[in-house]
Amino acid sequence: MERLSVEGIDVVRVTYPDLMGTDRARDVLVDQLPAACSHGLSFCRAVYHTSPQGDVVPIAGGLDAGLPDIVVRPDLDTLRTLPWEPGVASCLGDVTDPATGAPAPESPRALLRAVLARCAEHGLRPVAGPELEYFLCDPDPGAPDGWRRYSAAAGAVYTAGLRADPDNHLLRTLRMLRDLGIGITHGNHEFDGSQFEINLVHSEALGAADRAFRLKAAVKELARKEGRLATFMAKPFNDAGGSGFHLHLSCEAGAEGETRAGGAAGDVGETRNVFDDPTGPYGLSDTARHAIAGLLAHAPALAALVNPTINSYKRFGPDTVAPWLVDWGLDNRSAMVRIPPERGSGARLELRLGDASANPYVLIAATIAAALLGIQAAEEPPAPLEGYGYDTARSALLPDCLPSALDALEGDTALTGILGKGFTAAYLAYKRNEVERFQQHVTDWEFTEYAYHL
């Protein structure tokens, strides 16, 4: 409190992710911070069961239980001053059930911690590097949804500067995120007009998820300050590609536990990368190959967690450079699992399946859980993909819609066993309600297609 006072901070914003990965929060006056840490902040548990439109989904433990509380306690190790909000610092919160004192079953942060504890039992410490893409939009009262893409520049792929970013959005955002201290490394304009990517350093997995969560929240907040919309929606436009959430994953030997969770992206140390083996096939260790096999084996269920919306599956298809087949390849961006060319300390795999709408904690937890199952099963992956992918004769198809992916998740008892019954039941109920609401909604496409002629 003394340090915050010296820095001119009089409010601490305590944030935590809901099931979707959206930030929920409360502003706490600094003189009330000790009470918030001691007693926690009460929220309605149904915050985990609330749709993007504010409807409370009937999930066990919410409406049926009379809308009980959860308790959120600030994690002061994650305290950061908000560069764009004078007098305000922000920290993450840990969520518990006040009746039991245990982590709330829907808590994505607790989910990832539980998966990492399973890894520690096997002497493994996952290291993750998230890569996130998003679109920036300007208000347009004449557009059907009120927004248009910020820049229509075509062909400005992998570039920076005014050619693709006439108002220097990326420069301002990078500098603010740097000052937030969440381990930003670089950014660029992506493939489609108004699409950007900002990268984070690799670090232990919980810290990586914390920083990806804060990155998404900060980018959206900075856009709002300018009257703009930054969206991590999987595919917001018919005439453009989708936005990915690619995850680079490796493992270190040892179970030293977490570094300062969600804090600055620290050096992951000089420990040994157990994915590297100069004598192994492709320069990969048995552990790495088994992890790849696990991702392939559990890919259909994984899709439900890393491609979590109705819209997610519109990102896939031939020539989208988004994976829609279950395969892997050596430095091959058309594969679901890509193995970058670095070896030694840089040996890793890249899961390219996820899209930017995914909850960072859920995506990282599910990816690690599937890899761990592969390591435990000790099975070898098939031969890697050669050439440009998308040949259905060579590889199985991933689920092509959210309902199919949810069915695959429910049927994958090995994966859900690691994720836990409480989280899995809540997630399936929440997402099946989303599907039901969509199937009852008349879309613009349907009216355009049918109304005049039928």
Side-chain angles (χ1 to χ4, degrees):
M1 289 173 63
E2 291 175 359
R3 177 170 63 83
L4 291 173
S5 179
V6 168
E7 294 175 0
I9 302 297
D10 63 346
V11 170
V12 172
R13 182 166 298 160
V14 182
T15 69
Y16 61 99
D18 65 10
L19 275 179
M20 298 179 293
T22 299
D23 52 311
R24 306 288 178 169
R26 184 169 295 164
D27 283 346
V28 178
L29 293 171
V30 165
D31 62 356
Q32 296 299 310
L33 189 59
C37 291
S38 176
H39 303 295
L41 304 168
S42 294
F43 287 79
C44 179
R45 182 176 171 184
V47 70
Y48 285 125
H49 313 156
T50 303
S51 78
Q53 299 305 310
D55 303 309
V56 179
V57 178
I59 293 175
L63 284 171
D64 65 331
L67 301 172
D69 272 353
I70 52 174
V71 172
V72 180
R73 285 185 172 81
D75 178 356
L76 296 184
D77 283 343
T78 68
L79 198 64
R80 296 286 177 273
T81 299
L82 295 183
W84 58 87
E85 194 99 40
V88 180
S90 172
C91 72
L92 301 175
D94 287 319
V95 186
T96 57
D97 180 342
T100 65
E106 299 95 336
S107 168
R109 202 168 187 236
L111 168 73
L112 178 53
R113 277 200 174 109
V115 171
L116 294 175
R118 295 285 291 269
C119 290
E121 293 171 2
H122 295 271
L124 297 173
R125 183 172 179 269
V127 173
E131 293 182 351
L132 280 152
E133 299 168 345
Y134 64 93
F135 278 92
L136 185 68
C137 302
D138 278 334
D140 182 358
D145 54 10
W147 299 97
R148 60 174 171 79
R149 276 191 276 170
Y150 152 72
S151 170
V157 182
Y158 302 145
T159 189
L162 300 180
R163 178 160 62 109
D165 184 10
D167 193 36
N168 267 334
H169 155 79
L170 183 62
L171 277 181
R172 284 194 305 278
T173 303
L174 282 175
R175 286 169 175 154
M176 286 289 186
L177 294 174
R178 173 200 62 200
D179 294 345
L180 182 61
I182 59 170
I184 300 299
T185 58
H186 45 259
N188 58 266
H189 184 267
E190 251 294 331
F191 196 91
D192 286 290
S194 303
Q195 187 183 43
F196 298 89
E197 179 176 303
I198 294 177
N199 296 131
L200 297 154
V201 299
H202 294 214
S203 71
E204 52 83 24
L206 181 61
D210 284 340
R211 293 181 295 102
F213 167 66
R214 299 180 97 162
L215 166 70
K216 292 179 73 172
V219 166
K220 289 184 283 189
E221 190 76 349
L222 289 168
R224 290 184 195 110
K225 284 184 71 70
E226 298 182 352
R228 289 176 165 140
L229 171 70
T231 179
F232 291 84
M233 183 177 172
K235 186 176 169 62
F237 304 106
N238 282 315
D239 62 345
S243 291
F245 185 157
H246 300 160
L247 184 71
H248 292 252
L249 180 69
S250 61
C251 273
E252 295 174 346
E256 296 86 353
E258 301 168 8
T259 60
R260 291 171 65 94
D267 185 355
V268 295
E270 297 300 322
T271 52
R272 181 173 62 89
N273 182 344
V274 298
F275 277 9
D276 179 63
D277 182 357
T279 66
Y282 319 112
L284 300 173
S285 68
D286 292 348
T287 300
R289 298 194 311 277
H290 299 333
I292 294 167
L295 292 176
L296 301 181
H298 298 279
L302 198 58
L305 299 159
V306 306
N307 307 119
T309 70
I310 296 287
N311 176 258
S312 294
Y313 297 81
K314 297 178 180 180
R315 171 175 161 258
F316 298 135
D319 300 320
T320 59
V321 198
W324 51 284
L325 299 177
V326 181
D327 53 15
W328 74 288
L330 302 171
D331 199 13
N332 191 328
R333 282 180 169 80
S334 64
M336 188 190 87
V337 179
R338 168 181 172 256
I339 309 302
E342 294 88 351
R343 295 295 183 267
S345 62
R348 63 192 187 278
L349 60 83
E350 178 191 11
L351 180 69
R352 297 177 59 81
L353 177 59
D355 67 67
S357 68
N359 183 327
Y361 296 95
V362 175
L363 181 145
I364 293 175
T367 302
I368 292 171
L372 179 61
L373 287 169
I375 293 167
Q376 291 175 316
E379 293 182 353
E380 289 288 329
L385 171 70
E386 294 185 3
Y388 195 51
Y390 312 120
D391 182 353
T392 56
R394 291 192 288 178
S395 302
L397 280 165
L398 285 157
D400 63 354
C401 62
L402 182 57
S404 296
L406 294 173
D407 289 344
L409 175 61
E410 185 173 25
D412 193 332
T413 55
L415 185 63
T416 59
I418 292 184
L419 300 179
K421 183 183 297 185
F423 175 83
T424 302
Y427 187 86
L428 287 170
Y430 183 88
K431 285 296 170 182
R432 287 200 164 119
N433 177 270
E434 181 178 326
V435 171
E436 181 181 344
R437 288 185 288 112
F438 175 76
Q439 290 174 339
Q440 293 172 349
H441 182 75
V442 179
T443 65
D444 293 343
W445 183 92
E446 291 168 277
F447 189 90
T448 302
E449 185 78 2
Y450 304 128
Y452 183 79
H453 299 285
L454 301 182

